[in-house]
Amino acid sequence: MGKIIAVANQKGGVGKTTTSINLSAGLAYAKRRVLLVDFDPQGNATHGIGADRVGYDHNHSVYEVLMENDTVASNAVHLDIPPLDVLPATINLSGADVEMASNEYEIGREHLLKQKLDAARNDYDYIIIDCPPSLGLLNTNALTAADSVMIPVQCEYFALEGLTQLLSTIRLVQKLWNPTLSIEGVLLTMFDVRTKLSVEVQQEVRKYFKEKVYKCYIPRNVRLSEAPSREESIFEYEIRSEGAKAYAALVKEVLTQNEKGVR
Ligand SMILES: Nc1ncnc2c1ncn2[C@@H]1O[C@H](COP(=O)(O)OP(=O)(O)O)[C@@H](O)[C@H]1O
Ligand SMILES: [Mg+2]
């Protein structure tokens, strides 16, 4: 049965999508069966991983899975490079938040994504959810569906600010809908070795989250920001880049943590 990991932080621009794409790709190259769920109406993960290359049908996206009777299997698209499935997001998803808030959905609305992903769990080893930059019902659905949360933290001023809010949302979801939700890990992103600030933020985050923080960190690397416009993960775009090495190290840590001893 596959593990569901939500990549979440309500702050925008911290590296959620970059991490979702490259973690998914890395796990896929490690021969794990992977589904990348784009759960942000902006669809950055969908485009960045190259779903447009296989010409997916815009009426078959995560929205139809969430709000209509579609299944993951009927709406996910398969990519050969990297070898994984993507459940694409279209702008339709932006309406889901409001629709779910209506009375019709009041009961059980936090479980809509969970029901659908649970039905697909046996088809995958890892299901990675790229969360939107908000703490609304979409995020609640992702956290209710997930086994764990991976939190990317950008190495900049006020990095820890806002995390308090995310942590209390996680606690609320644990209390109300998903008692076994755990923290998969905290990932330092856009680390700049040349700046004192990055080093200080790293120390602060490690002091606060202790062993929950991954040993590896993701450096600021221009190749990582270029890859999505080529619709490639970092492993196709520039395998020798520092960004590729860092995400390969993350994949290794995730595999070690989850599959102790298994290769
Ligand atoms: N390690 C990195 N080095 C350089 N640029 C990065 C890095 N990680 C992300 N970016 C860029 O920063 C921007 C925000 O990243 P993104 O992953 O889209 O964040 P989020 O999904 O949290 O909004 C994007 O333009 C992305 O290409
Ligand atoms: Mg994003």
Side-chain angles (χ1 to χ4, degrees):
M1 210 173 68
K3 181 167 194 184
I4 305 178
I5 303 175
V7 180
N9 186 330
Q10 80 276 19
K11 234 176 172 181
V14 298
K16 289 183 291 296
T17 300
T18 307
T19 298
S20 299
I21 288 178
N22 294 306
L23 171 64
S24 297
L27 289 169
Y29 285 120
K31 299 212 159 43
R32 301 311 189 272
R33 297 168 303 159
V34 177
L35 172 70
L36 170 60
V37 178
D38 190 351
F39 213 43
D40 182 342
Q42 295 177 78
N44 292 343
T46 302
H47 303 302
I49 195 112
D52 295 296
R53 268 186 276 125
V54 295
Y56 67 97
D57 176 349
H58 286 236
N59 295 314
H60 288 287
S61 71
V62 68
Y63 174 83
E64 286 73 24
V65 173
L66 188 70
M67 305 303 291
E68 293 169 11
N69 264 334
D70 288 13
T71 60
V72 170
S74 63
N75 284 28
V77 292
H78 180 71
L79 302 186
D80 288 328
I81 303 170
L84 49 71
D85 288 353
V86 183
L87 187 54
T90 60
I91 192 68
N92 284 349
L93 187 61
S94 61
D97 230 324
V98 181
E99 285 175 54
M100 281 189 283
S102 78
N103 289 338
E104 191 193 339
Y105 286 99
E106 199 168 348
I107 295 164
R109 64 188 169 196
E110 288 81 14
H111 289 89
L112 292 172
L113 184 66
K114 180 182 171 58
Q115 286 163 1
K116 299 303 180 81
L117 292 188
D118 276 349
R121 262 192 208 248
N122 285 333
D123 299 331
Y124 300 100
D125 298 311
Y126 291 95
I127 297 178
I128 308 296
I129 311 174
D130 183 22
C131 292
S134 66
L135 285 177
L137 272 168
L138 284 178
N139 230 295
T140 314
N141 259 270
L143 295 180
T144 302
D147 296 307
S148 64
V149 200
M150 184 181 290
I151 309 172
V153 176
Q154 188 182 349
C155 296
E156 48 138 40
Y157 276 119
F158 309 124
L160 283 169
E161 212 177 74
L163 280 185
T164 342
Q165 226 184 332
L166 178 63
L167 292 177
S168 62
T169 302
I170 291 172
R171 274 193 291 271
L172 183 76
V173 170
Q174 284 168 331
K175 198 170 138 200
L176 297 177
W177 306 294
N178 187 5
T180 56
L181 177 68
S182 67
I183 293 186
E184 180 71 26
V186 175
L187 178 67
L188 294 157
T189 63
M190 300 184 222
F191 191 93
D192 188 343
V193 273
R194 295 163 305 182
T195 68
K196 216 170 124 200
L197 177 65
S198 273
V199 177
E200 282 169 7
V201 170
Q202 156 158 240
Q203 286 168 345
E204 208 180 335
V205 171
R206 288 193 191 280
K207 198 167 130 195
Y208 190 81
F209 286 100
K210 308 218 162 55
E211 73 287 350
K212 280 287 170 203
V213 186
Y214 290 106
K215 291 188 198 78
C216 67
Y217 58 77
I218 311 300
R220 189 171 276 289
N221 177 242
V222 69
R223 297 286 173 258
L224 285 171
S225 58
E226 293 166 351
S229 62
R230 297 279 292 270
E231 304 185 357
E232 289 176 336
S233 85
I234 194 63
F235 302 111
E236 297 96 49
Y237 181 61
E238 185 54 86
I239 187 91
R240 287 161 306 179
S241 64
E242 291 306 313
K245 285 178 200 159
Y247 275 109
L250 174 67
V251 169
K252 218 170 164 185
E253 276 194 60
V254 169
L255 286 174
T256 310
Q257 192 173 305
N258 285 288
E259 305 179 15
K260 290 179 192 83
V262 184
R263 288 176 152 264

